[in-house]
């Protein structure tokens, strides 16, 4: 499922897809409660039923949420439920690592 135009948990308005990876897609969105632009990494639908991949996604999100370094994006929120697993991070404008 593509999430453009959707709202997650009544708080995160998803604007557009900005990146695709093996396990997850990344969208540019708006945190309506904080009035800021964010990046939202959403686990792909086909993996939500895979317990091992969900466990890895959750472990990764917990691990990065405690990191604090100027060269690492800040994690604002992590949400795990039966339908959607996502991480909300600061959105950094510029070229991707792949482009670099």
């Amino acid at each position: 499922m593509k999430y453009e135009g959707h709202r997650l948990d009544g708080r995160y308005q998803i604007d557009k897809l900005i990146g695709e990876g093996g396990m997850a897609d990344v969208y540019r969105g708006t945190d309506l409660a904080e009035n800021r632009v964010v990046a939202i990494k959403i686990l792909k639908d086909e993996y939500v039923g895979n317990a091992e991949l969900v466990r890895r996604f959750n472990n990764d999100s917990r691990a990065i949420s405690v990191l604090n370094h100027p060269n690492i994006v800040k994690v604002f929120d992590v949400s795990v439920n039966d339908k959607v697993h996502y991480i909300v991070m600061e959105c950094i404008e510029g070229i991707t690592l792949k482009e670099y």
Side-chain angles (χ1 to χ4, degrees):
M1 173 181 183
K2 296 298 178 190
Y3 288 91
E4 287 105 336
H6 286 81
R7 189 177 289 183
L8 297 174
D9 294 333
R11 178 174 178 172
Y12 304 108
Q13 181 66 41
I14 299 175
D15 300 326
K16 68 176 185 173
L17 182 69
I18 58 173
E20 296 179 82
M23 285 180 49
D25 293 327
V26 180
Y27 295 86
R28 183 181 189 277
T30 304
D31 178 345
L32 300 172
E34 296 292 330
N35 194 30
R36 63 182 166 203
V37 174
V38 293
I40 306 165
K41 183 176 186 177
I42 302 176
L43 183 67
K44 291 184 177 180
D45 292 338
E46 62 258 34
Y47 300 123
V48 171
N50 183 320
E52 176 60 22
L53 290 178
V54 168
R55 184 189 63 75
R56 284 179 44 200
F57 185 83
N58 293 338
N59 286 346
D60 290 351
S61 61
R62 271 190 243 114
I64 63 171
S65 68
V66 298
L67 297 175
N68 185 12
H69 189 275
N71 296 333
I72 300 173
V73 296
K74 293 181 181 108
V75 173
F76 300 127
D77 194 8
V78 175
S79 180
V80 177
N81 60 50
D82 293 339
K83 296 180 182 179
V84 181
H85 300 259
Y86 65 88
I87 304 168
V88 179
M89 304 167 279
E90 67 179 318
C91 187
I92 306 296
E93 299 296 330
I95 64 171
T96 66
L97 185 56
K98 184 177 182 179
E99 293 167 332
Y100 177 75

